[in-house]
Amino acid sequence: MPTTRSLRRSNPITLLLAALLTLGFLVFILSPSSAATAKAKVKNASAAVHPLSPPTSPFRKQSPKAGARAPPPVVHYHLNNLTTSASPVEGKETVLILTPLARFYQGYWDNLLKLSYPHELIALGFIIPKSREGNAATAALQAEISKTQSGPEAKRFASITILRQDFDAPIQSQNEAERHKIENQKARRASMSRARNSLLFTTLGPSTAWVLWLDSDIVETPPTLIQDLASHDKPIIVPNCFQRYYDEEKKAKSIRPYDFNSWIDSQTAQDIGSKMGYDDILLEGYQELATYRTLMAYMKDDTGDDTIIAQLDGVGGTALLVKAEVHRDGAMFPPFAFYHLIETEGFAKMANRLGWHSWGLPNYLVSP
């Protein structure tokens, strides 16, 4: 006798097949796309898993299960696998941008956002003095950070660290003329060295490949600054810093040298240093102390070739790219007279003593 329609519908095999089809359909609909899954894996891999992890890794707080706290992880880093190459984007090399910040300039932040280096590979670090101006700078910085880090994901930075100095600045005024008086230089630059070292030692993580020191008043750089400097594959490299101004004589906008701390040493400077006291320092850009060094500020030519490179003995810190291994080897910013040099110039000397050479790009310009 033929099977009735109701019996065929209740056949166990038919029901099993229907259940499997339904389950497969639900899995297909509810599961994330492969692109989304890959993106989530990258984000989880780059995120710190504990508050004590390096500050250059973003920390995302995990929800504890049943109130239990997970023990701090043991993390292994293979520094021999860390690369610093002429093609840092292709190698996904992380960059730590460090800025001592006494006053907030909107142009600085706007220029930072224009950098074409992938922002997910950039960590930012700031150190700000304990002063009324420092408080204002902190508030302005945090407002911009909030907008950026809650905005489009491509513009967000991997992590941001803000430090407040645990010591007072010797010169409270941020007036340019006051800051650059020769009698203020040793105390001012020693304080700057302490700030740079505090910032560096606190934020340098085991995955950091490059460190870019960028002054807070630098408001104009090429968007490809990091790629351009790294393309020379030098341990320490610095562009030329020129200031825009209005030339009253020519009645036109022009540029002039701004940073005189990048130079090639001279025998005159070495002779002066040999007669100095143990704690005395040599300074550049002052008529009272003529060293006759070759200043990169005056090495700029009219060829327009921004790839021309020169080996230097001293460097400025307006925009200074350093391979992280140079700092890991022990090269820091001496807050004391080191071979009669201090701060960034002392750093170049210390790095040289460790076997790392400094280089400059006379025709590659950045501007405050």
Side-chain angles (χ1 to χ4, degrees), residues 139-196:
L141 175 64
Q142 287 179 326
E144 292 302 318
I145 289 173
S146 297
K147 286 193 288 185
T148 299
Q149 297 300 86
S150 61
E153 192 159 345
K155 289 289 186 181
R156 299 178 193 174
F157 296 100
S159 70
I160 301 176
T161 303
I162 300 176
L163 305 180
R164 297 303 299 268
Q165 284 181 195
D166 55 355
F167 55 90
D168 294 323
I171 301 168
Q172 295 299 322
S173 173
Q174 287 302 307
N175 176 271
E176 188 170 334
E178 186 68 23
R179 287 191 303 121
H180 289 116
K181 285 181 178 178
I182 190 169
E183 61 268 25
N184 291 335
Q185 289 314 292
K186 186 176 181 182
R188 185 182 77 86
R189 298 193 67 187
S191 179
M192 279 295 299
S193 293
R194 293 179 64 193
R196 289 185 187 277

CSV table of all heavy atoms in Angstrom, one decimal, residues 139-196:
chain,number,residue,atom,x,y,z
A,139,ALA,N,45.2,69.8,28.5
A,139,ALA,CA,43.8,69.9,28.2
A,139,ALA,C,43.5,70.0,26.6
A,139,ALA,O,42.7,69.2,26.1
A,139,ALA,CB,43.1,71.1,28.8
A,140,ALA,N,44.3,70.8,26.0
A,140,ALA,CA,44.1,70.9,24.5
A,140,ALA,C,44.5,69.6,23.8
A,140,ALA,O,43.8,69.2,22.8
A,140,ALA,CB,45.0,72.1,24.0
A,141,LEU,N,45.6,69.0,24.2
A,141,LEU,CA,46.0,67.7,23.6
A,141,LEU,C,45.0,66.6,23.8
A,141,LEU,O,44.6,65.9,22.9
A,141,LEU,CB,47.4,67.3,24.3
A,141,LEU,CG,47.9,65.9,23.8
A,141,LEU,CD1,48.2,65.9,22.3
A,141,LEU,CD2,49.2,65.6,24.6
A,142,GLN,N,44.5,66.5,25.1
A,142,GLN,CA,43.5,65.5,25.3
A,142,GLN,C,42.2,65.7,24.5
A,142,GLN,O,41.6,64.7,24.1
A,142,GLN,CB,43.2,65.4,26.8
A,142,GLN,CG,44.3,64.8,27.7
A,142,GLN,CD,44.1,64.8,29.2
A,142,GLN,OE1,43.4,65.7,29.7
A,142,GLN,NE2,44.6,63.8,29.8
A,143,ALA,N,41.8,66.9,24.3
A,143,ALA,CA,40.6,67.2,23.5
A,143,ALA,C,40.8,66.7,22.0
A,143,ALA,O,39.9,66.0,21.5
A,143,ALA,CB,40.3,68.7,23.5
A,144,GLU,N,42.0,66.9,21.5
A,144,GLU,CA,42.3,66.4,20.1
A,144,GLU,C,42.4,64.9,20.1
A,144,GLU,O,42.0,64.3,19.1
A,144,GLU,CB,43.6,67.1,19.6
A,144,GLU,CG,43.4,68.6,19.3
A,144,GLU,CD,42.3,68.9,18.4
A,144,GLU,OE1,42.2,68.2,17.3
A,144,GLU,OE2,41.6,69.9,18.6
A,145,ILE,N,43.0,64.4,21.1
A,145,ILE,CA,43.2,62.9,21.2
A,145,ILE,C,41.8,62.2,21.2
A,145,ILE,O,41.5,61.3,20.5
A,145,ILE,CB,44.0,62.5,22.4
A,145,ILE,CG1,45.4,62.8,22.2
A,145,ILE,CG2,43.8,61.0,22.7
A,145,ILE,CD1,46.3,62.6,23.5
A,146,SER,N,40.9,62.8,22.0
A,146,SER,CA,39.5,62.2,22.1
A,146,SER,C,38.8,62.2,20.7
A,146,SER,O,38.2,61.3,20.3
A,146,SER,CB,38.7,63.0,23.1
A,146,SER,OG,39.2,62.9,24.4
A,147,LYS,N,39.0,63.3,20.0
A,147,LYS,CA,38.3,63.4,18.7
A,147,LYS,C,39.0,62.4,17.7
A,147,LYS,O,38.2,61.7,16.9
A,147,LYS,CB,38.5,64.9,18.1
A,147,LYS,CG,37.6,65.9,18.8
A,147,LYS,CD,37.5,67.2,18.0
A,147,LYS,CE,38.8,68.0,18.2
A,147,LYS,NZ,38.7,69.3,17.5
A,148,THR,N,40.3,62.3,17.7
A,148,THR,CA,41.0,61.4,16.8
A,148,THR,C,40.7,60.0,17.1
A,148,THR,O,40.4,59.2,16.2
A,148,THR,CB,42.5,61.7,16.8
A,148,THR,OG1,42.8,63.0,16.4
A,148,THR,CG2,43.2,60.8,15.9
A,149,GLN,N,40.8,59.6,18.4
A,149,GLN,CA,40.7,58.2,18.7
A,149,GLN,C,39.3,57.7,18.7
A,149,GLN,O,39.0,56.5,18.7
A,149,GLN,CB,41.3,57.9,20.1
A,149,GLN,CG,42.8,58.2,20.2
A,149,GLN,CD,43.6,57.4,19.3
A,149,GLN,OE1,43.8,57.8,18.1
A,149,GLN,NE2,44.1,56.3,19.7
A,150,SER,N,38.3,58.6,18.6
A,150,SER,CA,36.9,58.2,18.4
A,150,SER,C,36.4,58.4,17.0
A,150,SER,O,35.2,58.2,16.7
A,150,SER,CB,36.0,58.9,19.4
A,150,SER,OG,36.1,60.3,19.2
A,151,GLY,N,37.3,58.9,16.1
A,151,GLY,CA,36.9,59.1,14.8
A,151,GLY,C,37.2,58.0,13.8
A,151,GLY,O,37.2,56.8,14.3
A,152,PRO,N,37.4,58.2,12.6
A,152,PRO,CA,37.7,57.1,11.6
A,152,PRO,C,38.8,56.3,12.0
A,152,PRO,O,39.9,56.8,12.5
A,152,PRO,CB,38.0,57.9,10.3
A,152,PRO,CG,37.3,59.2,10.5
A,152,PRO,CD,37.4,59.5,11.9
A,153,GLU,N,38.7,55.0,11.9
A,153,GLU,CA,39.7,54.0,12.4
A,153,GLU,C,41.0,54.2,11.7
A,153,GLU,O,42.1,54.0,12.4
A,153,GLU,CB,39.2,52.6,12.2
A,153,GLU,CG,40.0,51.6,13.0
A,153,GLU,CD,39.3,50.3,13.3
A,153,GLU,OE1,38.1,50.3,13.2
A,153,GLU,OE2,40.0,49.3,13.7
A,154,ALA,N,41.1,54.6,10.5
A,154,ALA,CA,42.3,54.8,9.8
A,154,ALA,C,43.2,55.9,10.3
A,154,ALA,O,44.4,55.9,10.1
A,154,ALA,CB,42.1,55.0,8.3
A,155,LYS,N,42.5,56.9,11.0
A,155,LYS,CA,43.2,58.0,11.6
A,155,LYS,C,43.7,57.7,13.0
A,155,LYS,O,44.5,58.5,13.5
A,155,LYS,CB,42.3,59.2,11.6
A,155,LYS,CG,42.0,59.8,10.2
A,155,LYS,CD,43.2,60.5,9.6
A,155,LYS,CE,43.0,61.2,8.3
A,155,LYS,NZ,44.2,61.9,7.8
A,156,ARG,N,43.1,56.7,13.7
A,156,ARG,CA,43.5,56.4,15.1
A,156,ARG,C,44.9,55.9,15.2
A,156,ARG,O,45.4,55.1,14.3
A,156,ARG,CB,42.5,55.4,15.6
A,156,ARG,CG,41.1,55.9,15.6
A,156,ARG,CD,40.2,54.8,16.2
A,156,ARG,NE,38.8,55.0,16.0
A,156,ARG,CZ,37.8,54.2,16.2
A,156,ARG,NH1,38.1,53.0,16.8
A,156,ARG,NH2,36.5,54.5,16.0
A,157,PHE,N,45.6,56.2,16.3
A,157,PHE,CA,46.9,55.7,16.6
A,157,PHE,C,46.8,54.5,17.4
A,157,PHE,O,45.8,54.3,18.2
A,157,PHE,CB,47.7,56.8,17.2
A,157,PHE,CG,48.0,58.0,16.3
A,157,PHE,CD1,47.2,59.2,16.5
A,157,PHE,CD2,48.9,58.0,15.3
A,157,PHE,CE1,47.4,60.3,15.7
A,157,PHE,CE2,49.1,59.1,14.5
A,157,PHE,CZ,48.3,60.3,14.7
A,158,ALA,N,47.8,53.7,17.3
A,158,ALA,CA,47.8,52.4,18.1
A,158,ALA,C,47.7,52.6,19.6
A,158,ALA,O,47.0,51.9,20.3
A,158,ALA,CB,49.1,51.6,17.7
A,159,SER,N,48.5,53.6,20.1
A,159,SER,CA,48.4,53.9,21.5
A,159,SER,C,48.9,55.3,21.8
A,159,SER,O,49.7,55.8,20.9
A,159,SER,CB,49.2,52.9,22.4
A,159,SER,OG,50.6,53.0,22.1
A,160,ILE,N,48.5,55.9,22.9
A,160,ILE,CA,49.0,57.3,23.2
A,160,ILE,C,49.3,57.3,24.7
A,160,ILE,O,48.5,56.9,25.5
A,160,ILE,CB,48.0,58.3,22.8
A,160,ILE,CG1,47.6,58.3,21.3
A,160,ILE,CG2,48.5,59.7,23.3
A,160,ILE,CD1,46.5,59.2,20.9
A,161,THR,N,50.5,57.8,25.1
A,161,THR,CA,50.9,57.9,26.4
A,161,THR,C,51.2,59.4,26.7
A,161,THR,O,51.9,60.0,26.0
A,161,THR,CB,52.2,57.1,26.7
A,161,THR,OG1,51.9,55.7,26.4
A,161,THR,CG2,52.6,57.2,28.2
A,162,ILE,N,50.7,59.9,27.8
A,162,ILE,CA,50.9,61.2,28.3
A,162,ILE,C,51.6,61.2,29.7
A,162,ILE,O,51.0,60.6,30.6
A,162,ILE,CB,49.7,62.1,28.4
A,162,ILE,CG1,49.0,62.2,27.0
A,162,ILE,CG2,50.0,63.5,28.8
A,162,ILE,CD1,47.7,62.9,27.0
A,163,LEU,N,52.8,61.7,29.8
A,163,LEU,CA,53.5,61.8,31.1
A,163,LEU,C,53.5,63.3,31.5
A,163,LEU,O,53.6,64.2,30.7
A,163,LEU,CB,54.9,61.3,31.0
A,163,LEU,CG,55.2,59.9,30.4
A,163,LEU,CD1,56.7,59.7,30.4
A,163,LEU,CD2,54.5,58.9,31.2
A,164,ARG,N,53.4,63.5,32.8
A,164,ARG,CA,53.6,64.8,33.4
A,164,ARG,C,54.9,64.8,34.1
A,164,ARG,O,55.2,63.9,34.9
A,164,ARG,CB,52.5,65.2,34.4
A,164,ARG,CG,51.1,65.3,33.8
A,164,ARG,CD,51.0,66.3,32.7
A,164,ARG,NE,51.3,67.7,33.1
A,164,ARG,CZ,50.5,68.6,33.5
A,164,ARG,NH1,49.2,68.2,33.6
A,164,ARG,NH2,50.8,69.8,33.8
A,165,GLN,N,55.8,65.8,33.8
A,165,GLN,CA,57.1,65.8,34.4
A,165,GLN,C,57.1,65.8,35.9
A,165,GLN,O,56.2,66.4,36.6
A,165,GLN,CB,57.9,67.1,34.0
A,165,GLN,CG,58.4,67.1,32.6
A,165,GLN,CD,59.1,68.3,32.1
A,165,GLN,OE1,59.3,68.5,31.0
A,165,GLN,NE2,59.5,69.1,33.1
A,166,ASP,N,58.0,65.1,36.5
A,166,ASP,CA,58.1,65.0,38.0
A,166,ASP,C,59.2,66.0,38.5
A,166,ASP,O,59.7,65.8,39.6
A,166,ASP,CB,58.4,63.6,38.5
A,166,ASP,CG,59.7,63.0,37.8
A,166,ASP,OD1,60.2,63.6,36.9
A,166,ASP,OD2,60.0,61.9,38.2
A,167,PHE,N,59.5,67.0,37.7
A,167,PHE,CA,60.5,68.0,38.1
A,167,PHE,C,60.1,69.3,37.4
A,167,PHE,O,59.4,69.3,36.4
A,167,PHE,CB,61.9,67.6,37.7
A,167,PHE,CG,62.1,67.3,36.2
A,167,PHE,CD1,62.5,68.3,35.3
A,167,PHE,CD2,62.0,66.0,35.7
A,167,PHE,CE1,62.6,68.0,34.0
A,167,PHE,CE2,62.1,65.7,34.4
A,167,PHE,CZ,62.4,66.7,33.5
A,168,ASP,N,60.5,70.4,38.0
A,168,ASP,CA,60.2,71.7,37.5
A,168,ASP,C,61.1,72.2,36.4
A,168,ASP,O,62.3,71.9,36.5
A,168,ASP,CB,60.2,72.7,38.6
A,168,ASP,CG,59.1,72.5,39.7
A,168,ASP,OD1,58.0,72.0,39.2
A,168,ASP,OD2,59.3,72.7,40.9
A,169,ALA,N,60.6,72.8,35.4
A,169,ALA,CA,61.4,73.4,34.4
A,169,ALA,C,62.2,74.6,34.9
A,169,ALA,O,61.7,75.4,35.7
A,169,ALA,CB,60.6,73.8,33.2
A,170,PRO,N,63.5,74.7,34.6
A,170,PRO,CA,64.4,75.8,35.1
A,170,PRO,C,63.9,77.1,34.6
A,170,PRO,O,64.2,78.2,35.2
A,170,PRO,CB,65.8,75.4,34.7
A,170,PRO,CG,65.6,74.6,33.5
A,170,PRO,CD,64.3,73.8,33.7
A,171,ILE,N,63.3,77.2,33.4
A,171,ILE,CA,62.9,78.4,32.8
A,171,ILE,C,61.4,78.3,32.5
A,171,ILE,O,61.0,77.4,31.7
A,171,ILE,CB,63.7,78.7,31.5
A,171,ILE,CG1,65.1,78.8,31.8
A,171,ILE,CG2,63.2,80.0,30.8
A,171,ILE,CD1,66.0,78.8,30.5
A,172,GLN,N,60.6,79.0,33.2
A,172,GLN,CA,59.1,78.9,33.1
A,172,GLN,C,58.6,79.5,31.8
A,172,GLN,O,57.6,79.1,31.2
A,172,GLN,CB,58.5,79.6,34.3
A,172,GLN,CG,58.8,78.9,35.6
A,172,GLN,CD,58.3,77.4,35.6
A,172,GLN,OE1,57.2,77.1,35.1
A,172,GLN,NE2,59.1,76.5,36.3
A,173,SER,N,59.3,80.6,31.3
A,173,SER,CA,58.8,81.3,30.2
A,173,SER,C,59.0,80.5,28.9
A,173,SER,O,60.1,79.9,28.7
A,173,SER,CB,59.5,82.7,30.0
A,173,SER,OG,59.2,83.3,28.8
A,174,GLN,N,58.0,80.5,28.0
A,174,GLN,CA,58.2,79.9,26.7
A,174,GLN,C,58.4,80.9,25.6
A,174,GLN,O,58.4,80.6,24.4
A,174,GLN,CB,56.9,79.1,26.4
A,174,GLN,CG,56.7,77.8,27.2
A,174,GLN,CD,57.9,76.9,27.0
A,174,GLN,OE1,58.2,76.5,25.9
A,174,GLN,NE2,58.5,76.5,28.1
A,175,ASN,N,58.8,82.1,26.0
A,175,ASN,CA,59.2,83.2,25.1
A,175,ASN,C,60.4,82.7,24.3
A,175,ASN,O,61.4,82.3,25.0
A,175,ASN,CB,59.4,84.5,25.8
A,175,ASN,CG,59.9,85.6,24.9
A,175,ASN,OD1,61.1,85.8,24.7
A,175,ASN,ND2,58.9,86.4,24.3
A,176,GLU,N,60.4,82.8,23.0
A,176,GLU,CA,61.5,82.3,22.2
A,176,GLU,C,62.8,83.0,22.5
A,176,GLU,O,63.9,82.3,22.7
A,176,GLU,CB,61.2,82.4,20.7
A,176,GLU,CG,62.2,81.8,19.8
A,176,GLU,CD,61.8,81.7,18.4
A,176,GLU,OE1,60.6,81.7,18.1
A,176,GLU,OE2,62.7,81.7,17.5
A,177,ALA,N,62.8,84.3,22.7
A,177,ALA,CA,64.0,85.1,23.0
A,177,ALA,C,64.6,84.7,24.3
A,177,ALA,O,65.8,84.5,24.5
A,177,ALA,CB,63.8,86.6,22.9
A,178,GLU,N,63.8,84.5,25.3
A,178,GLU,CA,64.2,84.1,26.6
A,178,GLU,C,64.8,82.7,26.7
A,178,GLU,O,65.8,82.4,27.3
A,178,GLU,CB,63.0,84.2,27.6
A,178,GLU,CG,63.4,84.0,29.1
A,178,GLU,CD,64.3,85.1,29.7
A,178,GLU,OE1,64.3,86.2,29.2
A,178,GLU,OE2,65.0,84.8,30.7
A,179,ARG,N,64.1,81.8,25.9
A,179,ARG,CA,64.6,80.4,25.9
A,179,ARG,C,65.9,80.3,25.2
A,179,ARG,O,66.7,79.3,25.6
A,179,ARG,CB,63.5,79.5,25.2
A,179,ARG,CG,62.3,79.3,26.0
A,179,ARG,CD,61.4,78.2,25.3
A,179,ARG,NE,61.0,78.5,24.0
A,179,ARG,CZ,61.3,77.7,22.9
A,179,ARG,NH1,62.0,76.6,23.1
A,179,ARG,NH2,60.9,78.1,21.7
A,180,HIS,N,66.2,81.1,24.3
A,180,HIS,CA,67.5,81.0,23.5
A,180,HIS,C,68.6,81.8,24.0
A,180,HIS,O,69.7,81.9,23.3
A,180,HIS,CB,67.2,81.2,22.0
A,180,HIS,CG,66.4,80.1,21.4
A,180,HIS,ND1,65.1,80.3,20.9
A,180,HIS,CD2,66.6,78.8,21.2
A,180,HIS,CE1,64.6,79.1,20.4
A,180,HIS,NE2,65.5,78.2,20.6
A,181,LYS,N,68.5,82.5,25.1
A,181,LYS,CA,69.6,83.3,25.7
A,181,LYS,C,70.7,82.3,26.0
A,181,LYS,O,70.5,81.2,26.6
A,181,LYS,CB,69.2,84.0,26.9
A,181,LYS,CG,68.3,85.3,26.6
A,181,LYS,CD,68.0,86.0,27.9
A,181,LYS,CE,67.2,87.3,27.7
A,181,LYS,NZ,66.8,87.9,29.0
A,182,ILE,N,71.9,82.7,25.7
A,182,ILE,CA,73.1,81.8,25.9
A,182,ILE,C,73.2,81.4,27.4
A,182,ILE,O,73.6,80.3,27.7
A,182,ILE,CB,74.4,82.4,25.3
A,182,ILE,CG1,75.5,81.3,25.3
A,182,ILE,CG2,74.8,83.6,26.1
A,182,ILE,CD1,76.7,81.8,24.6
A,183,GLU,N,73.0,82.3,28.3
A,183,GLU,CA,73.1,82.0,29.7
A,183,GLU,C,72.1,81.0,30.2
A,183,GLU,O,72.3,80.4,31.3
A,183,GLU,CB,73.1,83.3,30.5
A,183,GLU,CG,71.8,84.1,30.5
A,183,GLU,CD,71.8,85.2,29.4
A,183,GLU,OE1,72.6,85.0,28.4
A,183,GLU,OE2,71.1,86.1,29.5
A,184,ASN,N,71.0,80.8,29.5
A,184,ASN,CA,70.0,79.9,29.9
A,184,ASN,C,70.1,78.5,29.3
A,184,ASN,O,69.4,77.6,29.6
A,184,ASN,CB,68.6,80.4,29.5
A,184,ASN,CG,68.2,81.6,30.3
A,184,ASN,OD1,68.7,81.8,31.4
A,184,ASN,ND2,67.3,82.5,29.7
A,185,GLN,N,71.1,78.3,28.4
A,185,GLN,CA,71.1,77.1,27.6
A,185,GLN,C,71.5,75.9,28.3
A,185,GLN,O,70.9,74.8,28.1
A,185,GLN,CB,72.1,77.3,26.4
A,185,GLN,CG,71.6,78.3,25.3
A,185,GLN,CD,70.1,78.0,25.0
A,185,GLN,OE1,69.8,76.9,24.4
A,185,GLN,NE2,69.3,78.9,25.4
A,186,LYS,N,72.5,75.9,29.2
A,186,LYS,CA,72.9,74.7,29.9
A,186,LYS,C,71.7,74.2,30.8
A,186,LYS,O,71.4,73.0,30.7
A,186,LYS,CB,74.1,74.9,30.7
A,186,LYS,CG,74.7,73.6,31.4
A,186,LYS,CD,76.0,73.8,32.1
A,186,LYS,CE,76.4,72.5,32.7
A,186,LYS,NZ,77.7,72.6,33.5
A,187,ALA,N,71.1,75.0,31.6
A,187,ALA,CA,70.0,74.6,32.4
A,187,ALA,C,68.8,74.1,31.6
A,187,ALA,O,68.2,73.1,31.9
A,187,ALA,CB,69.6,75.7,33.4
A,188,ARG,N,68.5,74.9,30.6
A,188,ARG,CA,67.3,74.6,29.8
A,188,ARG,C,67.5,73.2,29.0
A,188,ARG,O,66.6,72.4,29.0
A,188,ARG,CB,67.1,75.7,28.7
A,188,ARG,CG,65.8,75.5,27.9
A,188,ARG,CD,65.7,76.6,26.9
A,188,ARG,NE,66.5,76.4,25.7
A,188,ARG,CZ,66.2,75.6,24.7
A,188,ARG,NH1,65.1,75.0,24.6
A,188,ARG,NH2,67.1,75.5,23.7
A,189,ARG,N,68.7,73.0,28.5
A,189,ARG,CA,68.9,71.8,27.7
A,189,ARG,C,69.2,70.6,28.6
A,189,ARG,O,68.8,69.5,28.2
A,189,ARG,CB,70.1,72.0,26.7
A,189,ARG,CG,69.7,73.1,25.7
A,189,ARG,CD,70.7,73.1,24.5
A,189,ARG,NE,70.5,71.9,23.7
A,189,ARG,CZ,71.3,71.6,22.7
A,189,ARG,NH1,72.4,72.4,22.4
A,189,ARG,NH2,71.2,70.5,22.0
A,190,ALA,N,69.7,70.8,29.8
A,190,ALA,CA,69.8,69.7,30.8
A,190,ALA,C,68.4,69.3,31.2
A,190,ALA,O,68.1,68.0,31.3
A,190,ALA,CB,70.6,70.2,32.0
A,191,SER,N,67.5,70.2,31.4
A,191,SER,CA,66.1,69.9,31.7
A,191,SER,C,65.4,69.2,30.5
A,191,SER,O,64.7,68.2,30.7
A,191,SER,CB,65.3,71.1,32.0
A,191,SER,OG,63.9,70.9,32.3
A,192,MET,N,65.7,69.6,29.3
A,192,MET,CA,65.1,68.9,28.1
A,192,MET,C,65.7,67.5,28.0
A,192,MET,O,64.9,66.6,27.7
A,192,MET,CB,65.5,69.7,26.9
A,192,MET,CG,64.7,70.9,26.6
A,192,MET,SD,63.0,70.5,26.2
A,192,MET,CE,63.2,69.4,24.7
A,193,SER,N,66.9,67.3,28.4
A,193,SER,CA,67.5,65.9,28.3
A,193,SER,C,66.8,65.0,29.3
A,193,SER,O,66.4,63.9,29.0
A,193,SER,CB,69.0,66.0,28.7
A,193,SER,OG,69.7,66.6,27.7
A,194,ARG,N,66.5,65.5,30.5
A,194,ARG,CA,65.8,64.7,31.5
A,194,ARG,C,64.4,64.4,31.0
A,194,ARG,O,63.9,63.2,31.2
A,194,ARG,CB,65.7,65.5,32.8
A,194,ARG,CG,67.1,65.7,33.5
A,194,ARG,CD,66.9,66.5,34.8
A,194,ARG,NE,66.1,65.8,35.8
A,194,ARG,CZ,65.6,66.3,36.9
A,194,ARG,NH1,65.8,67.6,37.2
A,194,ARG,NH2,64.9,65.6,37.8
A,195,ALA,N,63.7,65.4,30.4
A,195,ALA,CA,62.4,65.1,29.9
A,195,ALA,C,62.4,64.0,28.8
A,195,ALA,O,61.6,63.1,28.8
A,195,ALA,CB,61.8,66.4,29.4
A,196,ARG,N,63.4,64.2,27.9
A,196,ARG,CA,63.5,63.2,26.8
A,196,ARG,C,63.8,61.8,27.3
A,196,ARG,O,63.2,60.8,26.9
A,196,ARG,CB,64.6,63.6,25.8
A,196,ARG,CG,64.3,64.9,24.9
A,196,ARG,CD,65.4,65.1,23.9
A,196,ARG,NE,65.2,66.3,23.2
A,196,ARG,CZ,64.5,66.5,22.1
A,196,ARG,NH1,63.8,65.5,21.6
A,196,ARG,NH2,64.4,67.7,21.5
